[in-house]
Amino acid sequence: MAGRVRGTAVALVLAVAVSGCGAVSERRDDVRAATVAFEKALGERDYARMCEDLAPATAEEVEQSAGAPCAQALGEESLKPGGAVRVVDVYGNQARAVLADDTLFLSHFSAGWKIVAAGCTPRPGTPYQCQIKGG
């Protein structure tokens, strides 16, 4: 009986571990997809679509800083496509996507993963410096 209980417990732990990995993998895939969609819109200069991909507070900050609608404000930014996605890190409802020439930060909302900051470059010992970010 003890062997059967132990075997069941091990099977349960393995099932939970495997399903947990699947969830993390799916979240990484979702972040990667959101990043690729944002980068595609940037490459196509589809600023309206980029605004849809931004987190609400980020879109609001873009508009307030520029004194113009989001799409117009993004069109005036010098944000360049970041290239291929190299690394995706997911921490709960927050994520970081490291591209060849950019880093994006994302948050998970009911509508999916949204860009919180873009055009980010690392600065040793201090936070990233980002061209586009929420307030």
Side-chain angles (χ1 to χ4, degrees), residues 89-113:
D89 300 310
V90 179
Y91 307 97
N93 288 326
Q94 306 297 313
R96 177 183 71 149
V98 179
L99 290 75
D101 296 314
D102 194 2
T103 300
L104 304 180
F105 292 92
L106 300 89
S107 289
H108 189 261
F109 293 85
S110 59
W113 289 95

Side-chain angles (χ1 to χ4, degrees), residues 12-87:
L12 180 59
V13 167
L14 286 175
V16 169
V18 169
S19 68
C21 290
V24 170
S25 176
E26 287 174 27
R27 292 172 73 78
R28 255 192 229 114
D29 291 345
D30 292 344
V31 168
R32 182 178 298 275
T35 300
V36 168
F38 182 80
E39 288 294 310
K40 181 177 183 217
L42 175 58
E44 294 172 354
R45 297 182 178 176
D46 186 348
Y47 303 117
R49 175 66 185 160
M50 288 173 64
C51 289
E52 292 173 11
D53 293 340
L54 293 177
T58 303
E60 184 177 312
E61 179 68 25
V62 166
E63 289 180 344
Q64 286 181 356
S65 293
C70 181
Q72 180 183 339
L74 287 179
E76 295 169 1
E77 283 288 332
S78 60
L79 189 64
K80 297 189 179 14
V85 179
R86 293 190 173 170
V87 177

